Amino acid sequence: MHPRLIIAIDGYSSCGKSTVAKALAKRLGLQYIDSGAMYRAVTLYFMQNNIPIPSPEQLHNLDFNFEPVLDKIHIEFRVNPETGLSDVHLNGVDVEQEIRSMTISEQVSHVSAIKAVRVRLVELQKKAGVMGGLVMDGRDIGTTVFPHADLKIFMKADPMVRAERRFKELSLKGAEVSMEDVINNVVGRDYEDTHREESPLRKANDAIVLDNTYLTQEEQVEFVMKEIVKLNDSVKQDF
Ligand code: DC
């Protein structure tokens, strides 16, 4: 396995991208970076500090300089000794749990449509990949962050199946949400993520589609592992 391999995983919300990405990173000894967690952490900061969050209609006539706000936001990933996984930290505080709430999910698509936010986070994400050796998931990883990634996967699944999975996950965590709210959130985010002006969610031309509507987690990881083996084979043929 090439230690500097970069795997980009993009796709719709609640598709299980992070589950597959984490499993792959573990199996291949690569670092895992959840780029969505970075947008969520910025959203949390905006909400905590009453920073105006523009609606898609307001984006065009925006008269607000986000740069000084972004200068105050420091995001990093640190390994949580209890779980062995990387948690996102916002200005030194572990916010991994807090950023998964419905309140954040309802605002994050608006925040991630702000150009200044995207420019700042893409810069950070590119830096994280300078040495290679990582799996990153998000919406624009194969198209914008790592257009030369060794392997690009584009994940999708039936929206109702995604909403059911998300509902179960939130309910298990004790969140009081209705299935209707979750469906609206999933469908709404799909729309906003694919229609925003700044690097909208779309499949990179060279990405491989993984539709996981009827696949188990193991089957999804096996699917990607097979693609990695193909990569290795083509590298061998180059010699
Ligand atoms: O993967 P997620 O659901 O945690 O991502 C949260 C939001 O962040 C999602 O609605 C869109 C945005 N996002 C993005 O615009 N670009 C990325 N690379 C990752 C996430």
Side-chain angles (χ1 to χ4, degrees), residues 88-224:
V88 67
H89 285 66
L90 169 63
N91 294 336
V93 178
D94 188 330
V95 292
E96 186 62 37
Q97 294 305 320
E98 219 173 334
I99 58 164
R100 309 286 162 194
S101 71
M102 272 298 278
T103 325
I104 299 293
S105 295
E106 277 161 8
Q107 296 299 326
V108 65
S109 280
H110 300 320
V111 172
S112 61
I114 302 169
K115 185 172 183 177
V117 170
R118 297 209 73 81
V119 169
R120 203 56 85 93
L121 292 189
V122 167
E123 196 180 292
L124 267 179
Q125 291 152 7
K126 281 184 191 266
K127 262 192 204 153
V130 166
M131 301 301 287
L134 85 164
V135 183
M136 191 180 284
D137 71 349
R139 304 294 190 287
D140 59 345
I141 311 304
T143 52
T144 307
V145 181
F146 299 126
H148 303 296
D150 300 279
L151 180 66
K152 299 178 187 176
I153 301 289
F154 188 85
M155 288 179 62
K156 57 185 200 174
D158 180 272
M160 279 307 284
V161 172
R162 287 189 277 136
E164 269 165 27
R165 289 178 188 158
R166 186 95 186 102
F167 179 70
K168 265 191 207 153
E169 193 180 287
L170 286 166
S171 304
L172 276 177
K173 282 185 190 160
E176 285 187 14
V177 283
S178 70
M179 182 63 187
E180 196 187 348
D181 284 347
V182 178
I183 294 171
N184 289 338
N185 182 253
V186 165
V187 174
R189 280 205 287 151
D190 282 357
Y191 184 85
E192 283 195 41
D193 293 347
T194 48
H195 286 78
R196 66 168 176 241
E197 257 174 44
E198 292 302 322
S199 46
L201 167 66
R202 62 175 178 80
K203 182 183 107 48
N205 290 336
D206 50 350
I208 295 158
V209 175
L210 167 55
D211 183 334
N212 69 9
T213 308
Y214 302 110
L215 297 183
T216 63
Q217 281 171 17
E218 290 73 27
E219 286 168 335
Q220 296 169 50
V221 176
E222 283 318 314
F223 176 96
V224 184

